Amino acid sequence: MERTDVAIVGAGAAGLSLAHRLSGHVPGRRMPSVVLLDAPPGPLRPPRRTWCFWETGMNRFEAAVTASWRSLRVRPSTGAPVTGDISPLRYKLIRSTDFEALVDSDLRLSPNVRRREATVDTVEDVCGGAQIRFRTADGRPGVLHARWVFDSRPLHSVPAARTTLLQHFHGWFVRTDEPVFDRDTAELMDFRTPQPDRGLSFGYVLPMSPREALVEYTEFSPRVLTAEGYEAAVRHYAEDVLRLGDVEVVSTETGVIPMTDGPVARQVGQSVFRIGTAGGATRPSTGYTFAGLQRQTRAIAAALRRGRRPVPPPAHSARSRAMDAVLLRALDSGRVDGPALFSRLFAGLPMNRLLRFLDGRTRLTEDLTIGLRTPVGPMLRSALELPVLPRRPFDQP
C-alpha cells in the first residue's frame, strides 16, 4: 500500500491549484508529501474550458492569463449600452490548457508532489486517515493511504434545493476577416438575445485581438439545449446581433454550471473533504468559480503548513449565499425581469463596486445600497417565502 500525507483526487482547476500551492519548499517547514490522482484520457477528464475572474494586481498563475480587460460593457435589450472602467480591478481570462501547462511544468520540479494517472473507485475513512482504491490506466488495482484527501471530482447529482437553475453556455473562439472587435473592452452581458420562458439569456464577447474573440451564448434556465440549439443560438448572436460577417470557428467550449441554494458538504469524512465546485466554490448567483476555489485552496495549504486540521472554508460568506438564494428565487419565479435587473444595476452603480459585490467583498452598507437598486417588492416577497419552501431533488436534464 502506498502512503502519502495528502491525496488530491481530480486534476481540474481546484485539484491543480491545491497541488501547486503545496508544491516546492518553504524554509523551516516540512512540506507534506502529495499524490495528485488524475483520470486517464477519456470521459472522466474535465473538458477544455476557460475560467474568468477579476482581481487587483497579479496572482500566482499570471503567466497563464490569456487576456485581461479594464473596461466592461453591458448592453440592455434596447437602449444605449453601459461601459465602465473597473480599475483598479482587471477582468481576466485563463484557458484550461495554458493553466494545466503552467502547473504541470512547476509540479515536475517539485520534490514533494507526485502525479499519476488513475481512475478512483472509492474513497473511505480508515484508522489514521483515508483509503483510496483506484485502477491504473492499464487496469491494475491499487490502494493509497493518505492522512488527508481532497476530492475535486464533480458531484453525481445536484443537492436538494429550494431553487436550482442551470447556467449553460456554448461559445466559439472565432477569427474574423476584418478587425471588428474592440480589444480594450469585454462584453460582459449583452441582452439582445431571445429570452427563454424562465430565467434569462445573454451574449458574451471576450476579444483577444481586433480579429479574435470568444463569442458565447449563455442561459440561466432550468433546462439545457440540444447541441443543435446551442449552435443555432451562437450563430444567431454572431451573425444577426453582432453582425461579424464571415468567421472562422477555431475551437468551441460548452458547459453546464448548477446555480443552486442547496447546501454543499465540504467535509464528507473525518479525513475526506471536497474542494472546487464539489465543495461549494461556485458562486450560486453568477456561476463564477475560479476566485472562490483559490480562496479555498489557499486556506487549505496554509492550514497544512501550520499543522492544523485542513477543513476547506466556505468560499462565499453566509450573507452572500443568502442574497444569492433570494435572487435565484426571484428569477426562477418570474417576479423579476433578469435582463432589466442586471442592466439597471450596471447602469446605476460603479462597475468595480458591483464586481466586488459579486465576489462577496463589499461591506453590509454597500450591499444595502445595491439591494435598494433592485425591485424591492418582488425581492422582499422572495426572501419572505424562502424559509417555508421545501428543498427538493433536482430533476437532472
Side-chain angles (χ1 to χ4, degrees), residues 194-264:
Q195 296 300 312
D197 294 334
R198 289 172 63 188
L200 59 90
S201 75
F202 57 89
Y204 182 57
V205 182
L206 300 182
M208 281 61 142
S209 76
R211 290 186 173 86
E212 296 173 299
L214 169 61
V215 176
E216 200 156 273
Y217 172 83
T218 300
E219 273 193 22
F220 297 177
S221 64
R223 292 290 178 269
V224 298
L225 307 182
T226 62
E228 294 77 13
Y230 285 119
E231 280 293 311
V234 180
R235 189 172 301 280
H236 168 75
Y237 181 57
E239 295 180 356
D240 301 330
V241 178
L242 297 179
R243 300 185 181 278
L244 297 181
D246 292 333
V247 300
E248 175 190 357
V249 179
V250 179
S251 61
T252 64
E253 72 167 14
T254 303
V256 181
I257 303 170
M259 304 172 68
T260 174
D261 66 354
V264 178

Side-chain angles (χ1 to χ4, degrees), residues 11-27:
L16 288 173
S17 296
L18 181 56
H20 195 268
R21 291 183 183 280
L22 294 175
S23 64
H25 174 69
V26 176

Side-chain angles (χ1 to χ4, degrees), residues 135-313:
R135 287 172 287 115
T136 61
D138 57 4
R140 290 178 297 164
V143 180
L144 175 65
H145 183 281
R147 178 65 188 92
W148 308 108
V149 175
F150 298 93
D151 194 342
S152 68
R153 293 173 298 175
L155 297 176
H156 294 299
S157 61
V158 178
R162 294 166 297 194
T163 308
T164 298
L165 292 174
L166 300 175
Q167 179 181 152
H168 49 109
F169 52 88
H170 183 65
W172 291 349
F173 286 90
V174 302
R175 186 177 295 123
T176 62
D177 292 338
E178 302 296 328
V180 297
F181 298 113
D182 177 1
R183 171 63 185 84
D184 297 326
T185 302
E187 301 274 352
L188 187 68
M189 287 180 155
D190 184 346
F191 292 111
R192 297 175 298 169
T193 52
Q195 296 300 312
D197 294 334
R198 289 172 63 188
L200 59 90
S201 75
F202 57 89
Y204 182 57
V205 182
L206 300 182
M208 281 61 142
S209 76
R211 290 186 173 86
E212 296 173 299
L214 169 61
V215 176
E216 200 156 273
Y217 172 83
T218 300
E219 273 193 22
F220 297 177
S221 64
R223 292 290 178 269
V224 298
L225 307 182
T226 62
E228 294 77 13
Y230 285 119
E231 280 293 311
V234 180
R235 189 172 301 280
H236 168 75
Y237 181 57
E239 295 180 356
D240 301 330
V241 178
L242 297 179
R243 300 185 181 278
L244 297 181
D246 292 333
V247 300
E248 175 190 357
V249 179
V250 179
S251 61
T252 64
E253 72 167 14
T254 303
V256 181
I257 303 170
M259 304 172 68
T260 174
D261 66 354
V264 178
R266 300 185 307 280
Q267 182 169 352
V268 291
Q270 288 299 310
S271 299
V272 184
F273 309 98
R274 290 191 181 125
I275 58 173
T277 296
T282 299
R283 180 75 193 260
S285 63
T286 66
Y288 285 99
T289 304
F290 194 81
L293 69 85
Q294 296 307 325
R295 289 193 289 270
Q296 211 173 52
T297 55
R298 186 184 305 118
I300 292 168
L304 286 168
R305 287 177 182 141
R306 291 176 173 85
R308 298 174 182 169
R309 186 173 178 79
V311 180

